[in-house]
Amino acid sequence: MILTVRELTDRRCSFVVEGTSPDVVNAIRRTLISEVPKMAIDEVEFHMGPIRDEQGNEYDSSSALFDEIIAHRMALVPIPTVLKDFTFRDQCECEGSGCPHCTIIYVMNKKGPCTVFSGDLQPLGDVTLRVKEELIPIVKLKEKQALLVYATAILGTGKDHAKWQPVTVCGYKYFPKLYLSSMNHKDPENRYGIWDAEDKKFIVENLDHVDLCHKCVQTLEANNAGPEPKFDVAGRDDKFIFSFETDGSVKAKDALEYALTLLAGKYDEFRDQISGLDKKKS
């Protein structure tokens, strides 16, 4: 399998993968969506009763939204996650009691009137864990309303809940190929592109931008109704264009590396199990 990166940023990755089959590419897609972990807020503790500021002014611990809705919105805020720095609680040395390797504590203390944003979540300890998407609105507070909240973020995966899904947009398409249909001549090397009526040849130009909608075929055949060779477009079943985006909690490169490593481990485990079956039969 050959993987060629076309675009790579912190939040987006696009690459061409060749020498594989649709089931393998789809396995990469499913792993990116459901099994790449991230930190997300899982528990929210609301202070109940009056809240006082430094001047002694008293505020009600209330807002226009139910606490459950506020907690749900906090859970969907992208929490910065460096995968090598965190582990799952049930696999942590602290045995799930909560430590910097498996838990992040955020505090929010806001008094109205104001709009509470995701950036108001302040991490206890490491300031590098501050939320990067700071302008996600959570709730509006009126006069004499306040929120004092402690939120606990832990590691999880998308197969458990969507809040732990760092990859948001993910998909692939077959790499296009053009061939001369009237001459029954296919071109597996993709040396040809668009038919040039003047020079009587195909021109290769941005072939990977073809969406297999056959609009180019219809247009060029309509404009070249003479004796030019007829061509058609189809998708290769051994080459694919893959693209995905993250919500910013995990870098796209880290998500892809994690997914490929995890998938390779599963294939190795399955191969070992199959080998064990052969030994038992013998």
Side-chain angles (χ1 to χ4, degrees):
M1 185 171 70
I2 302 174
L3 191 150
T4 305
V5 176
R6 304 168 62 203
E7 177 187 0
L8 180 61
T9 64
D10 284 349
R11 300 186 62 163
R12 176 175 171 78
C13 179
S14 177
F15 58 89
V16 176
V17 57
E18 185 176 4
T20 186
S21 57
D23 55 308
V24 174
V25 181
N26 192 48
I28 297 174
R29 181 190 67 84
R30 292 170 60 90
T31 304
L32 279 168
I33 292 175
S34 63
E35 298 195 58
V36 175
K38 61 172 278 192
M39 299 294 286
I41 291 174
D42 188 54
E43 297 179 1
V44 180
E45 180 183 348
F46 292 85
H47 173 83
M48 306 303 294
I51 299 174
R52 292 179 175 84
D53 61 14
E54 293 80 0
Q55 290 74 35
N57 298 317
E58 190 172 288
Y59 295 79
D60 292 330
S61 180
S62 62
S63 69
L65 298 178
F66 292 113
D67 291 349
E68 294 89 338
I69 298 177
I70 296 175
H72 176 70
R73 292 185 175 186
M74 288 183 178
L76 297 179
V77 172
I79 302 298
T81 306
V82 180
L83 294 175
K84 63 181 180 62
D85 293 342
F86 295 102
T87 185
F88 295 97
R89 263 193 170 183
D90 58 356
Q91 301 174 9
C92 188
E93 295 179 353
C94 71
E95 298 181 349
S97 61
C99 72
H101 297 293
C102 66
T103 306
I104 307 174
I105 304 295
Y106 289 91
V107 61
M108 175 186 288
N109 189 359
K110 294 291 292 185
K111 301 172 181 65
C114 68
T115 299
V116 180
F117 292 97
S118 55
D120 295 318
L121 286 165
Q122 301 296 323
L124 294 180
D126 192 351
V127 295
T128 62
L129 298 174
R130 282 180 55 90
V131 175
K132 293 183 173 58
E133 297 289 341
E134 298 183 349
L135 298 179
I136 300 174
I138 295 176
V139 66
K140 288 185 177 181
L141 299 178
K142 294 183 178 180
E143 191 77 31
K144 293 299 181 180
Q145 290 183 337
L147 276 181
L148 178 55
V149 173
Y150 291 92
T152 302
I154 63 175
L155 199 67
T157 60
K159 63 183 179 182
D160 296 321
H161 195 284
K163 66 184 178 184
W164 282 306
Q165 180 181 317
V167 175
T168 55
V169 179
C170 185
Y172 65 91
K173 66 178 182 179
Y174 292 88
F175 198 91
K177 63 178 179 181
L178 296 173
Y179 59 90
L180 299 173
S181 57
S182 63
M183 300 173 60
N184 196 27
H185 171 72
K186 296 187 177 181
D187 176 41
E189 301 298 330
N190 276 315
R191 291 171 298 174
Y192 302 116
I194 303 301
W195 176 254
D196 189 315
E198 182 177 350
D199 295 334
K200 308 295 184 183
K201 66 179 182 179
F202 285 106
I203 302 174
V204 178
E205 186 174 357
N206 297 328
L207 186 59
D208 56 345
H209 291 176
V210 176
D211 288 328
L212 303 179
C213 66
H214 287 78
K215 184 66 176 178
C216 58
V217 176
Q218 298 168 5
T219 301
L220 291 174
E221 286 187 348
N223 294 336
N224 299 285
E228 291 85 358
K230 304 297 182 181
F231 71 95
D232 202 353
V233 60
R236 294 180 55 173
D237 58 5
D238 64 340
K239 189 174 183 179
F240 309 87
I241 301 173
F242 198 110
S243 301
F244 70 92
E245 297 178 9
T246 75
D247 62 0
S249 57
V250 177
K251 290 185 178 181
K253 179 183 177 182
D254 294 341
L256 180 60
E257 289 180 347
Y258 188 98
L260 293 177
T261 301
L262 181 62
L263 199 58
K266 288 186 176 183
Y267 283 134
D268 290 340
E269 182 181 356
F270 183 71
R271 186 183 300 109
D272 293 341
Q273 292 176 352
I274 295 298
S275 300
L277 291 177
D278 293 339
K279 291 179 181 179
K280 290 180 181 179
K281 289 183 179 181
S282 60

